[in-house]
Amino acid sequence: MKFAVIVFPGSNCDRDMLYAITDALQEEAHFVWHSESDLSSYDAILLPGGFSYGDYLRSGAMSSTSPIMRAVKEEAGKGKPVLGVCNGFQILLEAGLLPGAMLANENLSFICRNIPVRVEQNDTLFTNAFDQKEDIILPIAHGDGNYYCDDATYQSLVEHDQIVFTYPSNPNGSVHDIAGICNEQGNVLGMMPHPERAVEALLGSTDGLKIFQSILTNWREAHVLNT
Amino acid sequence: MYKVKVYVTLKEGVLDPQGKAIQQSLRSLSYQEVEEVRVGKYIELFVEQHEQLEERINKMCDELLANPVIEEYQYEIEEAVR
């Protein structure tokens, strides 16, 4: 399976993401610079964390206008898996691929630590290696991780089973403890916690690897013929 | 040449942690009369004369300068010499 890791000016989790795929998952991954405009040769798209454009104006706002985002929208429309982590999640929100917006953490501090994250939906292509309502350990590292949406949007998220991850103990003030959401079709996921930093025991948790394994399993079921 | 002053503010009802922190600091300076602080952005655009000036400024705000999910905006246009 071939993964694209999109690199924006200021991405700083791009290498972690690439190594998660090549070292831990043992699949193919390539960096793609944000000024590129074609992603048709990739099977999945990863938007890494970082501080694209220095978080100027709003986190993810500038990146959402990059040429590559047109290609991301196009491939997302074809049903390809698109995963945005941290700043990648913020970019997906700003680009309108996911509903809602990100505010500064409620306590205004940058938070960087391992925390429990609850799997609210294990029937997505990103989470089927987990148990429903399983609590996993993932690192968070963000200043603007306070997810916000209005009541109507929240109702719609609930109705369509789009809330994929929540915080059992809310670190940043996110509305309804939301840590990660997917689109209605289920092929675009945005999450604040960093699964790519939890892919081997040495890092303190291997729970993040299951997200990438879920993507791979799902892709193999759809694309590799049984012989 | 026009100077466009764009003010972007958080919508009413959207929590403003930065504003709250500033209010607390004002209180510690004993400005008890400050009931609420809201923080926004001020953006200056220097724009050449254009037939659809207002229309295009609205579009700029909607597409990039403000995020309609959490923010609202207003602007003033004045003539500028540069």
Side-chain angles (χ1 to χ4, degrees), chain A residues 16-27 196 198-200 203 209 212-213 216:
Chain A
D16 299 23
M17 195 67 103
L18 192 94
Y19 290 133
I21 302 302
T22 56
D23 280 14
L25 193 69
Q26 301 270 311
E27 290 291 318
E196 79 284 6
V199 293
E200 47 192 40
L203 297 170
L209 184 58
F212 303 109
Q213 284 167 337
L216 180 60

Side-chain angles (χ1 to χ4, degrees), chain A residues 1-8 11 13-23 25-34 36 38-48 68 72:
Chain A
M1 189 174 178
K2 200 171 155 191
F3 289 80
V5 177
I6 313 298
V7 183
F8 297 93
S11 295
C13 303
D14 44 348
R15 281 166 193 268
D16 299 23
M17 195 67 103
L18 192 94
Y19 290 133
I21 302 302
T22 56
D23 280 14
L25 193 69
Q26 301 270 311
E27 290 291 318
E28 193 181 342
H30 300 275
F31 289 132
V32 180
W33 185 233
H34 73 111
E36 300 281 321
D38 184 12
L39 288 165
S40 57
S41 64
Y42 294 93
D43 303 308
I45 297 154
L46 306 171
L47 303 177
I68 199 69
V72 172

